[in-house]
Structure formats: structure tokens, C-alpha cells
Amino acid sequence: MPAVSVQNLRKTYGEDVVALEDISFEIEQGEFVVVLGPSGAGKSTLLRILNGLTTPTEGSVRINGEEVHGRRSDVAMVFQLHYVIESMSAYRNALTGALSRAGLLESMLTWYDEDDKHAALDALDTVGLLSEAEQRTGSMSGGQKQRVGIARALVQNPALLLADEPVASLDPKAATEVMGYMRSAAKERNLTTIASLHQVNIGREFGDRFIGIRDGKVVFDGTEEDLTMEAVDDIYYGEGGDDPTEVLSA
Ligand code: ADP
């Protein structure tokens, strides 16, 4: 059974905007998939549907065979903006991942147990921040904050990790570092991961597989080897498009 199965997904906003059109693909357990595409292609809509935050107009998503209807505690999400509580330490932020796992009501009634605390330290170790565990996240760099966000997602112990443009606000060096930590964390845990990126040059060394979306449709599905200059050109510009070197060097 595939870890993720997306069948004939369609999403429209109002009468005129078709954000996704007939999207179908399957993802195997432990695969690290990078979703590429220009701004407005539908990447964010796709991830929000996978996370149960948005309802598709048509089609279905299954995670480990179960159809997604609304938010699931076994799907974790890393967002573009560092979604950390700045007044709290890296450790405290990572611990809050246990709340997402428990569900709101239960999390209001329970304390963190020893397993949660170990999971938080283990996750911070995975993202290279164990020695900064007690540091306030407000005083951390953008890349470090994003790594704390990844640690929190790991503490949630998800079946699926989603990352919506996780490095869009970072400089290339920090972006590459964050992607590297995300990939090694996922590989260490055999965690199925889908990350959307608009920068091809940062994404290409990390994906096992790439899904290219343009105008709400899948226009590419392949490995890094398949992701030639022509393929990139097609994903970003379609036929008769502009110069793809601009995207590659962005
Ligand atoms: P991407 O993440 O690739 O930039 P999005 O999924 O954000 O693309 O957007 C896909 C299309 O859907 C765009 O045309 C966008 O303007 C439109 N869209 C996204 N969210 C909404 C919304 N809440 N209401 C109306 N249109 C939307």
C-alpha cells in the first residue's frame, strides 16, 4: 500500500479559479518528494489538501489507506515562516509537537511525559541544535528557527511530513542547510516527506523524486536525473517560455 495516494484531485476557488486539475500520484513509504513549480502553480493548495486544511472540490487523498477528512494528528507541517514561539526555548518549542500528536483536548489535560522529553531532545539532536536546546528561539537565526520547526514536527511522530516552502525566506546557505537537516531527519526515521519549493537549485540535491506542477497540473514526475534544463523550462514556463537559467540561478 502506498504511504500517500492522491486520486483525481481538483480544487476550484469560486467560479473562475482552478487551482488544481486532475492531480493523481502515489508516494511510497520513506520517499522524499520535492514539489516544484512557479508561484501560483497550486503547490500550497496541494499541501493544504494533504494536511486536511483545505477540502478538495473533487478527488481523494489517502494516507496509509485511510481517506483524509480534515486535520490528522499523524500529519505534521513545516511552514514558510518560522512558526515558533519566540519567547520559549528551542526545547520548549520542540516539546509542543507532542501537543499536536495528542489532540487539543487531551493536550490541555496532560503533562509532557518522559517519552515526550526524550523525543524533543532527540529531535533537536537530529536537526543539530542539541547544544542550543535552552536558547530562546527569538534570538536564533532564521535557519535555526526553521530547524526548531522541523524538530517540533518530528516530536509529533508523524506518518507524513509536509513542508510548504520551508526555505523561501532563507538565504541560499541557510536554505541548503535546512533542507539537508530535513532530509537526513526524514531518512533516519524512514519518514515520508513532501516539501514544496520554488527554487530548483536548492531542491534538486535533496529530492528522491520531483513532482512539477504548472497551472494546477502535474507536468513532471521523475528523479533528479530526469530533471533536465528542458524539464525545468517546461515546469516553470511551459511551451515557448522564458530563459530557465533565471530560475536555476535564483
Ligand atoms: P503556489 O503555492 O504554487 O504559489 P497556490 O496553491 O497558493 O499556488 O495557488 C494556486 C492558485 O489558486 C492561484 O491562482 C491562487 O491565486 C489561487 N488561490 C489560492 N488560494 C486561494 C484562495 N483562498 N482563494 C482564491 N484563490 C486562491
Side-chain angles (χ1 to χ4, degrees):
M1 186 204 323
V4 179
S5 171
V6 170
Q7 296 300 327
N8 308 110
L9 218 53
R10 178 180 168 83
K11 177 67 185 179
T12 55
Y13 291 109
E15 303 232 318
D16 301 327
V17 181
V18 182
L20 296 176
E21 206 176 334
D22 202 20
I23 300 257
S24 297
F25 57 80
E26 290 185 343
I27 295 177
E28 297 305 321
Q29 173 71 44
E31 244 186 316
F32 195 105
V33 176
V34 173
V35 176
L36 295 171
S39 181
K43 305 181 296 298
S44 188
T45 301
L46 174 63
L47 264 68
R48 289 175 64 85
I49 291 174
L50 289 168
N51 197 24
L53 288 167
T54 297
T55 311
T57 310
E58 284 172 34
S60 67
V61 173
R62 286 174 189 276
I63 295 174
N64 292 330
E66 276 176 40
E67 194 158 341
V68 172
H69 295 290
R71 285 297 320 274
R72 291 172 60 111
S73 61
D74 61 352
V75 178
M77 186 106 158
V78 175
F79 295 91
Q80 175 176 348
L81 291 174
H82 330 297
Y83 182 53
V84 291
I85 302 167
E86 304 235 331
S87 60
M88 294 196 325
S89 67
Y91 171 68
R92 285 271 148 200
N93 268 283
L95 259 182
T96 60
L99 303 182
S100 312
R101 184 178 60 214
L104 186 61
L105 186 61
E106 205 183 318
S107 68
M108 286 164 71
L109 300 172
T110 53
W111 297 96
Y112 297 116
D113 62 24
E114 287 305 307
D115 287 349
D116 295 335
K117 292 174 185 170
H118 279 126
L121 292 173
D122 190 35
L124 286 171
D125 192 21
T126 301
V127 298
L129 286 176
L130 191 55
S131 52
E132 283 86 2
E134 286 306 319
Q135 195 178 323
R136 254 182 79 250
T137 52
S139 66
M140 290 183 152
S141 70
Q144 286 176 316
K145 286 178 191 170
Q146 201 55 306
R147 281 151 61 191
V148 172
I150 295 168
R152 181 186 45 216
L154 296 175
V155 172
Q156 198 178 327
N157 193 23
L160 174 64
L161 177 64
L162 302 173
D164 190 8
E165 297 275 359
V167 296
S169 60
L170 303 177
D171 63 64
K173 186 168 171 282
T176 305
E177 203 172 48
V178 166
M179 285 302 294
Y181 277 114
M182 194 183 312
R183 184 181 162 95
S184 56
K187 289 293 161 189
E188 228 172 67
R189 291 164 165 77
N190 195 29
L191 174 58
T192 312
T193 304
I194 306 175
S196 71
L197 291 178
H198 65 266
Q199 313 97 314
V200 187
N201 56 335
I202 287 168
R204 68 180 310 143
E205 65 184 281
F206 299 105
D208 295 323
R209 174 180 166 194
F210 298 84
I211 294 179
I213 300 186
R214 191 186 68 235
D215 294 336
K217 299 185 201 82
V218 172
V219 293
F220 178 87
D221 191 342
T223 62
E224 197 211 336
E225 215 168 78
D226 306 321
L227 197 61
T228 59
M229 190 78 115
E230 288 71 30
V232 171
D233 190 21
D234 189 42
I235 296 168
Y236 284 84
Y237 301 103
E239 283 170 31
D242 296 334
D243 182 359
T245 51
E246 279 175 31
V247 178
L248 288 168
S249 61

